Amino acid sequence: YQDEWLVVANKPVGLTTMRHKEEAEEFGARAQKFLPKTLADMLPGLLGNPNRPVIAVHRIDRDTSGLVVFARTRAAAEHLTKQF
């Protein structure tokens, strides 16, 4: 599902939801292109707007499948996070 404020994606087993801030900082922006893609990395392109990032509101483990909610704006992310 997708609308102006959020995206709900069915994450398959074996795919990480998002990259943790510490991991991203450890590797740096240049090295991140060599890390495995996350669902948060792939969604903008799959949604047809690769320059509009999504914000993971929660996550599920790599070895778990299921629905994951992403926000399309910072305000939506804050509102959805409060709901979770």
Side-chain angles (χ1 to χ4, degrees):
Y1 173 83
Q2 66 175 315
D3 65 23
E4 186 178 335
W5 300 279
L6 63 95
V7 174
V8 180
N10 190 12
K11 187 193 85 60
V13 169
L15 184 62
T16 302
T17 303
M18 62 186 194
R19 192 158 327 285
H20 293 280
K21 181 180 175 188
E22 297 81 21
E23 181 183 25
E25 290 172 353
E26 176 183 349
F27 288 96
R30 211 171 132 211
Q32 285 184 36
K33 64 183 174 185
F34 298 106
L35 295 173
K37 295 289 185 197
T38 66
L39 182 56
D41 294 332
M42 296 173 164
L43 269 178
L46 293 171
L47 296 170
N49 197 345
N51 296 321
R52 186 177 182 193
V54 294
I55 304 161
V57 177
H58 68 102
R59 66 176 190 84
I60 54 178
D61 293 337
R62 184 183 68 219
D63 295 330
T64 304
S65 65
L67 299 177
V68 181
V69 178
F70 293 86
R72 294 193 134 187
T73 67
R74 182 63 52 197
E78 290 173 10
H79 186 69
L80 290 164
T81 298
K82 286 179 187 177
Q83 292 181 56
F84 273 98

